[in-house]
Amino acid sequence: MSKTSKQTRALVIATAVAAPAALAVETTARLLLLPPEFSELRLMLRPKLTVMAWALVGVSALSIAAGLLVHQRLFNRMLARTPEAERNTRHIAEAHGAAFLLSASVPQLPTLLSTLTFTFGASLLPVSLSLAVSSIGVGVLGIKAWRGH
């Protein structure tokens, strides 16, 4: 396995765990920093925020397709800026890596919003599903970048 391939794999894994890590940080901060009365507010907001969290699961799923489109457009744009004579395997892999970094944020944004709904009271189930969908989306984008197609 080449150095670029190992770096891409590590980057994909780090990106895939970013949203679950954000949930852990938000939850820890909430438990340590917010007053006990915040729990009462969370209970009051739970019904509405849980509905919002469920909607964000669907948005997260749809954002995978959007992320794939963004990846392809960014990759094509980066490749078009390089003269064909200068294109080599390394350059193409770097273009896929750069496109991955930018396009991976597309499926992560709705999920980060979902983690905020949990912080303010949403049920954990839809938030967990959103995290799973986002991680799958990042994985799909990562495979696209890693394999280079």
Side-chain angles (χ1 to χ4, degrees):
M1 183 181 305
S2 71
K3 181 180 177 184
T4 303
S5 182
K6 287 180 184 178
Q7 289 172 338
T8 302
R9 183 188 298 179
L11 188 60
V12 170
I13 291 168
T15 305
V17 300
L23 178 63
V25 169
E26 288 172 14
T27 301
T28 302
R30 175 178 51 84
L31 293 172
L32 293 176
L33 302 175
L34 295 176
E37 296 80 21
F38 192 72
S39 294
E40 293 173 29
L41 176 64
R42 290 184 81 238
L43 285 174
M44 288 181 358
L45 295 174
R46 174 164 285 166
K48 291 188 187 234
L49 289 177
T50 298
V51 170
M52 183 184 286
W54 278 113
L56 287 168
V57 173
V59 173
S60 294
L62 292 173
S63 69
I64 295 172
L68 288 167
L69 289 172
V70 168
H71 181 277
Q72 193 60 50
R73 288 195 176 158
L74 289 170
F75 173 75
N76 290 341
R77 189 177 287 174
M78 289 177 203
L79 215 55
R81 291 183 179 162
T82 305
E84 197 167 326
E86 295 178 22
R87 292 181 196 164
N88 57 34
T89 306
R90 184 175 155 264
H91 177 73
I92 291 170
E94 287 175 357
H96 271 296
F100 166 76
L101 281 176
L102 294 169
S103 63
S105 64
V106 175
Q108 287 183 318
L109 286 174
T111 300
L112 291 175
L113 289 174
S114 182
T115 64
L116 285 174
T117 65
F118 177 72
T119 298
F120 288 98
S123 173
L124 184 58
L125 179 61
V127 175
S128 299
L129 288 174
S130 189
L131 287 167
V133 168
S134 172
S135 295
I136 290 167
V138 169
V140 168
L141 288 164
I143 289 169
K144 183 176 180 67
W146 187 22
R147 291 189 177 168
H149 41 66

